[in-house]
Amino acid sequence: MSTLISTVAAGFDVEKIRQDFPVLKQTIHGNPLVYLDSAATAQKPTAVVDAIRKFHEVDCANIHRGVHELSQRSTAAYEETRAKTKKFLNAKSVTELIFVRGTTEAINLVSSSWGRTNVKEGDEIVISAMEHHSNIVPWQMLCEEKGAKLRVIPMNDRGELILEEYEKLLNPRTRMVAVAHVSNALGTINPIRRMIEMAHRAGALVLIDGAQAAPHLKVDVQALDADFYTLSGHKICGPTGIGILYGKAKLLNAMPPYQGGGDMIRTVTFEKTTYNDLPYKFEAGTPNIAGGIGMGAALDYLNRIGLDQIAAYEHELLVYGTAQLEQIPGLRIIGTAREKAAVLSFVIEGIHPHDIGTVLDRQGIAVRTGHHCAQPVMDWFHIPATTRASLAFYNTSAEIDKLAAGLRKVKEIFS
Ligand code: PLP
């Protein structure tokens, strides 16, 4: 392997880690797979696959409702993930953690339940110019319904939010600030601690979209003083269709249920239903039990490696990758924030990102091309799309070298 891995502690053995990911062992179009699309979804270690298999083969039963052994086992395993998530995010209580399908559902839950009861005509919701569509559209829908106003924090050419402009947007009408911890399209790590403080001073609540932060950074919702924080299981090496909404208990307690059905009730008559306590009030119907258990195994796996180790290693990869890509003539990196996580988004003059992605795929290199569900970011940079290589702790500097070589080949073909 090449030049990298200097400051990372000797305990971080990427080749050993790669053995935990069977999917990485395959060839694509005759070349070893180079998976650089972890911001879309992270690969799953054997421990996660095994936990899901064990649930289906050994413990399979519905949860919270059976006295029999299998139901007891599956309930315990599912609820254990809630306890693990409490530790992972440093929440005060397990009652503050709601299982959802992922970040998209978490944001929709807050915009629907909290939004419908707390936002009225003339109120304002603040988002940022770099949000994923899932942190734009639900708020836009709420604003349309209520006659409220959506306001947008602008960014600079590096893809950093302009905090002086943010300050100006905050006022007594601001009800909610909803902002990404880490941008999926640019990799920018936003100064959310400071932004939360500023919002609170103005009397607004804050929802942090943590979809791209949870896989890369240690998160402490109490230290941040976040009112709501979201994560998607599939981006932290867990399965799809499961995620977490964290909310402060006093806010969640005051919010009406999001959906009605089984498990979220205490009593039901045709005249009146009373609701269950937190967190179950927000968890109607049979959940993704296997997904929840799989996510628990993913949290264990990440904790075994250590988020600090992951962040340090990925930072080195990012620095190395940035240097390699910058040497390619005509290539421009989109998103050059001073605080950045594992995303390399770029354009190459005269070559469409879809052509870049297709040629790279023939070499076994998986990248994402398009607007990355962040069309306003593309509009801001006056580009239709980018090619995005997103890194994870199982990537190597040798894979970055392959990406750089692959891009040189792209240039040869299209010049
Ligand atoms: N927010 C960000 C920053 C994302 O990157 C994504 C997914 O890519 C989402 C939200 C939506 O997450 P999910 O599709 O898991 O609900």
Side-chain angles (χ1 to χ4, degrees):
M1 217 168 70
S2 54
T3 49
L4 193 68
I5 323 304
S6 50
T7 62
V8 172
F12 194 90
D13 182 347
V14 68
E15 291 305 330
K16 187 157 171 277
I17 283 169
R18 287 173 68 81
Q19 298 305 312
D20 297 333
F21 292 85
V23 76
L24 299 177
K25 292 176 188 157
Q26 64 187 297
T27 56
I28 302 285
H29 306 303
N31 296 296
L33 168 65
V34 175
Y35 186 76
L36 299 174
D37 196 18
S38 294
T41 201
Q43 294 300 349
K44 323 303 173 199
T46 305
V48 168
V49 179
D50 284 351
I52 296 167
R53 172 182 284 269
K54 176 178 176 283
F55 166 71
H56 286 124
E57 286 185 351
V58 184
D59 300 328
C60 184
N62 212 327
I63 56 170
H64 298 152
R65 52 192 79 173
V67 291
H68 62 79
E69 169 71 17
L70 293 192
S71 181
Q72 304 271 324
R73 273 194 235 152
S74 50
T75 301
Y78 187 73
E79 288 300 331
E80 221 175 280
T81 298
R82 210 187 303 268
K84 287 172 186 171
T85 311
K86 170 183 174 290
K87 218 166 154 197
F88 191 73
L89 295 178
N90 193 31
K92 212 180 269 176
S93 156
V94 285
T95 61
E96 299 179 313
L97 299 159
I98 316 292
F99 278 114
V100 286
R101 276 192 296 124
T103 291
T104 302
E105 188 174 45
I107 297 171
N108 276 278
L109 191 162
V110 177
S111 70
S112 297
S113 169
W114 173 87
R116 290 219 174 103
T117 38
N118 289 282
V119 175
K120 53 186 189 321
E121 193 175 346
D123 284 347
E124 296 182 3
I125 306 285
V126 174
I127 59 170
S128 91
M130 66 177 75
E131 297 310 312
H132 187 280
H133 294 163
S134 63
N135 201 26
I136 302 174
V137 184
W139 302 113
Q140 215 161 36
M141 288 160 67
L142 174 68
C143 287
E144 273 167 21
E145 187 182 316
K146 295 291 187 176
K149 197 167 172 189
L150 193 66
R151 310 205 64 186
V152 182
I153 312 164
M155 58 185 167
N156 63 21
D157 291 346
R158 290 172 169 272
E160 296 166 325
L161 295 180
I162 304 171
L163 293 194
E164 299 75 40
E165 297 299 322
Y166 170 50
E167 181 86 64
K168 286 184 211 158
L169 288 177
L170 295 168
N171 68 65
R173 292 181 302 278
T174 313
R175 289 281 155 273
M176 174 69 81
V177 173
V179 70
H181 194 166
V182 172
S183 156
N184 66 310
L186 304 169
T188 310
I189 303 174
N190 286 316
I192 56 161
R193 192 169 175 164
R194 190 159 159 216
M195 293 179 75
I196 291 169
E197 233 177 74
M198 289 162 74
H200 284 169
R201 240 183 284 128
L205 297 181
V206 184
L207 177 143
I208 301 295
D209 168 353
Q212 296 294 343
H216 306 293
L217 308 172
K218 216 171 199 166
V219 175
D220 182 333
V221 289
Q222 290 191 72
L224 288 170
D225 199 20
D227 298 298
F228 299 100
Y229 196 97
T230 71
L231 65 82
S232 294
H234 70 103
K235 297 197 197 277
I236 54 167
C237 299
T240 54
I242 190 78
I244 286 285
L245 168 67
Y246 160 82
K248 285 180 182 165
K250 71 172 191 301
L251 297 171
L252 293 173
N253 266 321
M255 285 158 54
Y258 174 49
Q259 294 175 334
D263 238 22
M264 53 74 72
I265 54 90
R266 187 187 303 284
T267 60
V268 178
T269 66
F270 289 119
E271 288 72 37
K272 173 85 187 150
T273 292
T274 58
Y275 304 125
N276 207 339
D277 294 330
L278 291 179
Y280 311 112
K281 181 172 88 174
F282 291 106
E283 296 182 351
T286 301
N288 182 354
I289 305 168
I293 292 168
M295 191 172 91
L299 291 172
D300 288 343
Y301 183 81
L302 293 182
N303 285 333
R304 272 201 299 279
I305 299 174
L307 257 294
D308 288 338
Q309 289 274 79
I310 287 173
Y313 176 76
E314 288 179 349
H315 181 71
E316 290 198 351
L317 267 188
L318 180 69
V319 170
Y320 181 73
T322 304
Q324 297 308 302
L325 294 198
E326 278 174 349
Q327 288 170 30
I328 296 171
L331 184 148
R332 178 161 67 104
I333 293 179
I334 303 293
T336 50
R338 281 157 287 195
E339 293 293 325
K340 216 183 136 174
V343 169
L344 285 162
S345 243
F346 57 89
V347 290
I348 299 180
E349 212 179 339
I351 310 176
H352 196 280
H354 290 305
D355 292 331
I356 298 173
T358 305
V359 174
L360 289 178
D361 177 59
R362 298 304 302 177
Q363 299 168 65
I365 303 168
V367 293
R368 181 75 170 264
T369 62
H371 53 59
H372 317 296
C373 295
Q375 281 184 17
V377 173
M378 302 298 125
D379 293 345
W380 196 94
F381 283 96
H382 305 294
I383 49 177
T386 72
T387 304
R388 182 186 70 186
S390 53
L391 312 171
F393 58 91
Y394 43 72
N395 289 126
T396 65
S397 55
E399 290 183 311
I400 302 269
D401 293 343
K402 284 185 185 171
L403 171 67
L407 290 171
R408 290 203 161 82
K409 198 160 182 179
V410 169
K411 288 212 64 171
E412 265 169 45
I413 292 171
F414 288 98
S415 62

